Amino acid sequence: MKDAVLKAVHYEHKSAGLLARLRHLRYQGRRIDWVAYLFVLPFCSFFAVMTIVPIVFGLYVSFTEWSITEPPKWIGFANYQRLLVDDWVPKVWGNNLKMAALIVPGVVIIALLVALYVNERLPLAGMVRTAFYAPHVVAISVTALVWVWILEKETGVLNIALSSLGLPKTSFLTSVTWVIPSIASVSIWGQTGYYMVILLAGLQGIPPELKDAARIDGGSGWHVFWHVVLPLLRPALVLVITLAIIAGFRIFGSVYLMTQGGPGGRSSSIVHYIYTTGFQNFRLGYAAALSVALFATILFFALLRVRLFRELEY
Amino acid sequence: MAAEKRISRRELLCAAALGAAGAVVAGCAPKQVEVEKVVTEVVKETVIVAGTPEVVEKEVEKVVTATPMPAAEKVALELWHDWGPSDGEPFCEHLARFNEQSTDIEIKYDVLRTPEMDTKIAAAIATGDPPDIGVYFRPPVRWYRANALAPLDDVMRDVGLDFDDFYPVTLEANTCEGQLLQLPWNVVAMAAYINTEHAEQAGLDITNPPTDEASLLSWADAMTERQDGVVTRSGFLLQGSGGQPNCVFGILTYQGGGRLLNEDYTEVILNETDAPARAAQFVLDCLDTWKISSRDVADLYKAFGQSEASIFYTGSWMARSFYDTVGLESMTAPVPKVGEELLTYGATNGLFLFKAPGRDTEIRAGAEALKWLSDNQVLCLPDMGGASPRKSVLEDPKFREGGGVPWEYRQPFMDAVGYMFNARPPVLDAQNFDVRQSGERPIAKAMDPVWLGERSIEEGLAMAEEGLKEALKAHWDTA
């Protein structure tokens, strides 16, 4: 009996010692605050299950042949080899590059102009801010339908307006020349408001005394913008450019709803191709390989952006 | 002054642990037993006279329970379908009628969105818990290959279904390797919608719609509007690429004697005749030579609905919509015969039974349910728009009178069951062989550049055949 009590006391001491040691653990000279970890644990668990695990699993699936109903079959690099000879791949990548080439500068320039306008509290600034931000909160299914009605050749509002000005009607959604600019325009229209808010926050973070000092030194409005505002806005601009590149490569809703990738695949995007490959043809392994290739493309442009802007960041 | 209470780490950890334990206990707690509320009331009951589609309404005193019947008394079946409101609502009412009259089976249903139907079924099969009944718009070969389907021949015969009442073409469309995979429910066939206002303006006799190539072209030409040589209103509705030109190309290929696959679906025979080349040339001529069609149509249904086109080949799914469209004066007619044989596009939707370990009772109950739903489909199908795969239903006056759209408007789609080709053959991913296709599917991928004038017909057809061969190989590789 005495032995048992002694053992229990010993165990209690031992466990208390472990807890105490944990409590006093230090990292880089600072005591670890376990309560803080407790607070971030729910998010981290959720993030791991919903993001990290799917990414790793997606990478694994890209080396398999899988149709959901059967277990994945390991096929090594076969999906990546197929990707290199699939004639639809250069087509959709090319389409996306063209879209991104229009969307990124378009959205950044317009968002910057609108942010400057709103930041200067010029007349109707509130209305402009609301008008540009509103498309961002409307579902893409709605905006895509509206834009189809606007861009149609015979009865579209835009073509009716062009005709009334004596200009020829244009096949915005059915011509191989115009379909990508049309989809890019819809994306620019939909995303400008969101980026405008980011840039507006950046503009409002610039200390007014810096601009005042430049003006006192005789700088014109343009000089203040070019030599003070723009350099200080660079972090926000870099963020906007990065996000716009990612969005440009992930375009799907407007393509799916407005053109279904037509005419002749001229507006088909990478994500649209991934969707049809994975969820209509059930070639999930190949769809995963396409997704990995898309990730690599976005990563390449993100790194390129880092390389280009590294020297310039303040 | 209120005392400030600080929570120590230990207390916080204890509170968190208690909260988590409470959540676990709550999650594991047994379900609360529902108290059954019994109410007696007089209700109008729909009684179906056995063996006939007669419906009688009478008032009866009925015990209504506020909670569902205990599971032990009824076999509960789960059904998934992806029909939209216009088809889904009449079908769900039909299911309710079944539940009302059945004493031992209850069907519970989930309505899924079409894009997610395939993935949800696949995921359910992968987890070993599929629903009991599915509704599908093509032969469910993929689920058969996954060993998740109960073949229907014997089980339906056991419950007394009369297979002789079905049009053979609809059964063939759903038979893979000698097994009936799904019970044909309705057939969506194509006919020609014609804008009668345009026809009358062009001085055409709408009581004699076009029946062959010459009359089709003369009608389309008469109704086409052009400005400076550019078509501004298509007499014959096409697009620059995608579903419509490919569909017309497919119908004309079949009418010209061509086929995509041989009879046992083992070979691609697209280019064994010159029918596809002639069909492709017809489509190109409509766009470029005869100038009766425009490439610049973004939305086909809107174009016809708003009188921006005159003849439109499409399916019965648009009959109610076009008939009800305010300002649109239209009629329907069989697709004209442009070639040797009158054939049109037809696809069969069907009901099928999933199998899983320990589900023998559910499969038997499912077969009984399918038989009742099919035997009594006259109560529901007129409102759904499609044609019946059953001869007795198509000839039933109630079917002809129902649905809110006059029989003469619906008739071309119903008659088409007698001369349709199976647009979705019973092979894996039948959409690859469905001529109404777009995007990167084999025919569209090969022929869209042909319609856009970027590839020759010969190159397009050779590429289409290669794509179809690859798709067919996937079918046989999984056999």
Side-chain angles (χ1 to χ4, degrees):
Chain A
M1 178 70 188
K2 193 182 172 189
D3 283 352
V5 171
L6 280 175
K7 262 186 189 171
V9 170
H10 177 69
Y11 177 77
E12 207 179 335
H13 273 247
K14 206 175 164 189
S15 61
L18 183 70
L19 275 176
R21 276 207 299 278
L22 267 177
R23 204 178 293 150
H24 294 101
L25 260 182
R26 287 174 176 272
Y27 178 70
Q28 292 185 342
R30 294 185 63 184
R31 197 172 132 183
I32 296 172
D33 192 345
W34 292 107
V35 174
Y37 285 99
L38 194 68
F39 278 114
V40 295
L41 184 66
F43 170 77
C44 288
S45 317
F46 199 73
F47 183 72
V49 171
M50 294 297 182
T51 307
I52 304 295
V53 172
I55 288 172
V56 174
F57 185 65
L59 194 63
Y60 161 70
V61 169
S62 73
F63 293 102
T64 68
E65 191 179 287
W66 189 37
S67 62
I68 299 185
T69 52
E70 305 287 329
K73 192 173 114 194
W74 183 267
I75 54 167
F77 285 92
N79 285 325
Y80 291 95
Q81 283 167 347
R82 183 193 173 119
L83 196 143
L84 296 174
V85 294
D86 181 350
D87 56 0
W88 211 255
V89 167
K91 187 174 228 171
V92 293
W93 251 261
N95 290 343
N96 255 120
L97 278 172
K98 288 178 202 165
M99 286 181 205
L102 292 170
I103 292 169
V104 176
V107 87
V108 171
I109 291 168
I110 298 174
L112 179 60
L113 292 175
V114 178
L116 287 168
Y117 186 91
V118 172
N119 190 49
E120 292 300 317
R121 299 183 192 281
L122 295 170
L124 303 174
M127 201 188 80
V128 169
R129 185 176 53 197
T130 308
F132 274 85
Y133 193 73
H136 182 66
V137 297
V138 181
I140 183 68
S141 50
V142 177
T143 56
L145 279 176
V146 170
W147 276 98
V148 167
W149 281 63
I150 291 172
L151 296 173
E152 264 189 335
K153 191 181 178 193
E154 295 304 330
T155 53
V157 176
L158 187 56
N159 269 317
I160 290 170
L162 289 174
S163 299
S164 66
L165 296 171
L167 296 167
K169 285 186 173 178
T170 306
S171 317
F172 290 110
L173 295 174
T174 53
S175 113
V176 292
T177 314
W178 281 100
V179 69
I180 285 182
S182 302
I183 287 180
S185 306
V186 175
S187 291
I188 292 169
W189 175 82
Q191 295 171 20
T192 298
Y194 174 64
Y195 298 124
M196 178 266 292
V197 170
I198 296 174
L199 293 175
L200 187 60
L203 285 171
Q204 288 174 349
I206 297 172
E209 54 268 28
L210 293 179
K211 290 191 269 185
D212 293 342
R215 281 195 199 96
I216 290 164
D217 287 344
S220 65
W222 171 251
H223 283 127
V224 172
F225 170 73
W226 191 252
H227 295 291
V228 178
V229 174
L230 206 54
L232 291 170
L233 193 61
R234 204 164 278 141
L237 268 175
V238 168
L239 175 68
V240 164
I241 290 168
T242 310
L243 292 176
I245 290 171
I246 294 170
F249 276 99
R250 290 175 57 196
I251 194 161
F252 172 71
S254 49
V255 170
Y256 183 71
L257 294 161
M258 290 172 69
T259 64
Q260 286 282 312
R266 292 305 175 85
S267 64
S268 188
S269 69
I270 302 169
V271 179
H272 187 244
Y273 188 39
I274 291 170
Y275 169 75
T276 53
T277 303
F279 299 112
Q280 289 186 356
N281 298 334
F282 281 92
R283 296 203 313 259
L284 279 121
Y286 187 49
L290 288 166
S291 305
V292 172
L294 172 62
F295 169 73
T297 310
I298 293 173
L299 188 67
F300 169 77
F301 281 100
L303 292 175
L304 189 70
R305 192 275 304 161
V306 170
R307 176 92 184 155
L308 289 176
F309 286 87
R310 187 173 49 189
E311 311 285 316
L312 302 169
E313 276 177 29
Y314 281 73
Chain B
M1 191 178 157
E4 204 174 84
K5 168 75 179 156
R6 288 175 68 90
I7 299 174
S8 70
R9 277 196 191 88
R10 185 185 294 270
E11 284 168 334
L12 181 74
L13 285 167
C14 283
L18 278 172
V24 170
V25 169
C28 297
K31 279 183 185 171
Q32 201 177 353
V33 178
E34 288 171 355
V35 180
E36 196 171 275
K37 205 165 95 184
V38 180
V39 183
T40 305
E41 61 179 35
V42 175
V43 293
K44 274 192 174 175
E45 191 176 58
T46 308
V47 180
I48 295 150
V49 181
T52 73
E54 289 289 331
V55 184
V56 180
E57 233 180 32
K58 64 177 184 180
E59 285 192 346
V60 291
E61 193 173 82
K62 202 177 170 189
V63 175
V64 180
T65 54
T67 52
M69 294 287 280
E73 287 186 21
K74 281 192 167 191
V75 179
L77 300 175
E78 191 182 356
L79 179 146
W80 287 2
H81 78 79
D82 64 340
W83 273 314
S86 61
D87 288 341
E89 281 175 21
F91 185 68
C92 292
E93 284 168 18
H94 199 45
L95 295 177
R97 275 193 288 269
F98 171 81
N99 286 338
E100 200 172 332
Q101 63 79 45
S102 177
T103 52
D104 52 0
I105 303 167
E106 184 179 18
I107 300 177
K108 294 171 179 171
Y109 59 85
D110 272 334
V111 184
L112 276 63
R113 293 186 315 114
T114 300
E116 69 184 15
M117 182 82 170
D118 277 340
T119 39
K120 288 219 167 175
I121 289 178
I125 290 171
T127 55
D129 188 26
D132 300 289
I133 305 173
V135 177
Y136 221 47
F137 57 93
R138 62 175 181 269
V141 177
R142 182 172 289 283
W143 318 135
Y144 174 63
R145 287 276 194 262
N147 199 27
L149 289 193
L152 296 178
D153 309 71
D154 293 339
V155 73
M156 294 309 299
R157 213 165 266 125
D158 286 350
V159 295
L161 184 77
D162 178 13
F163 278 117
D164 292 338
D165 192 33
F166 285 79
Y167 282 92
V169 69
T170 64
L171 295 171
E172 283 159 21
N174 293 292
T175 301
C176 179
E177 290 152 19
Q179 307 274 11
L180 181 67
L181 305 188
Q182 66 177 359
L183 187 69
W185 172 258
N186 70 346
V187 178
V188 283
M190 284 200 185
Y193 289 85
I194 301 171
N195 186 307
T196 50
E197 198 182 349
H198 295 174
E200 282 169 348
Q201 282 167 0
L204 300 164
D205 176 11
I206 59 167
T207 59
N208 285 308
T211 53
D212 55 16
E213 181 174 356
S215 54
L216 171 66
L217 293 178
S218 75
W219 271 59
D221 185 57
M223 293 190 283
T224 300
E225 282 187 357
R226 303 175 187 91
Q227 216 167 27
D228 304 325
V230 176
V231 176
T232 54
R233 190 180 80 190
S234 297
F236 184 60
L237 186 54
L238 288 175
Q239 283 176 301
S241 66
Q244 196 63 10
N246 290 317
C247 183
V248 171
F249 158 73
I251 291 173
L252 267 55
T253 296
Y254 275 86
Q255 290 192 346
R259 298 289 181 271
L260 267 58
L261 301 173
N262 64 354
E263 282 186 4
D264 54 3
Y265 311 113
T266 53
E267 273 181 66
V268 175
I269 55 166
L270 176 68
N271 290 327
E272 279 195 4
T273 68
D274 67 346
R278 283 187 283 131
Q281 191 58 56
F282 181 95
V283 173
L284 279 181
D285 286 343
C286 287
L287 294 161
D288 299 324
T289 307
W290 303 320
K291 292 193 184 295
I292 53 173
S293 309
S294 168
R295 287 188 172 86
D296 298 323
V297 177
D299 186 333
L300 292 160
Y301 301 118
K302 179 174 166 284
F304 188 81
Q306 296 199 336
S307 300
E308 293 160 23
S310 306
I311 299 177
F312 181 23
Y313 283 10
T314 195
S316 48
W317 59 84
M318 291 307 293
R320 179 185 290 270
S321 174
F322 284 152
Y323 182 76
D324 289 340
T325 300
V326 177
L328 174 67
E329 301 292 330
S330 64
M331 59 179 278
T332 57
V335 292
K337 189 173 94 170
V338 183
E340 289 85 50
E341 199 180 350
L342 178 59
L343 282 170
T344 191
Y345 175 107
T348 311
N349 295 309
L351 304 168
F352 55 93
L353 299 176
F354 285 101
K355 70 176 181 187
R359 280 209 188 166
D360 292 346
T361 310
E362 282 79 3
I363 289 173
R364 169 80 192 186
E368 283 177 18
L370 259 53
K371 179 181 183 299
W372 189 96
L373 294 170
S374 181
D375 285 349
N376 295 283
Q377 68 170 187
V378 74
L379 302 175
C380 140
L381 204 53
D383 293 321
M384 293 183 71
S388 174
R390 301 188 65 157
K391 297 166 197 165
S392 62
V393 177
L394 275 184
E395 286 158 14
D396 191 323
K398 284 194 181 64
F399 179 75
R400 297 181 174 212
E401 288 156 15
V405 178
W407 174 247
E408 56 270 23
Y409 203 90
R410 291 160 57 214
Q411 189 176 5
F413 305 104
M414 310 302 152
D415 292 348
V417 182
Y419 57 87
M420 68 179 219
F421 63 86
N422 275 327
R424 294 168 193 156
V427 294
L428 190 74
D429 293 335
Q431 313 96 296
N432 286 324
F433 303 89
D434 183 340
V435 291
R436 189 168 165 265
Q437 59 177 254
S438 58
E440 76 284 359
R441 295 207 180 278
I443 296 173
K445 191 174 174 179
M447 300 306 289
D448 277 352
V450 175
W451 316 138
L452 292 168
E454 297 169 346
R455 182 180 287 160
S456 72
I457 290 174
E458 292 72 29
E459 285 172 333
L461 290 175
M463 200 178 154
E465 180 150 317
E466 285 309 307
L468 291 171
K469 278 180 180 168
E470 195 183 331
L472 190 63
K473 185 175 176 295
H475 170 73
W476 290 109
D477 282 352
T478 55

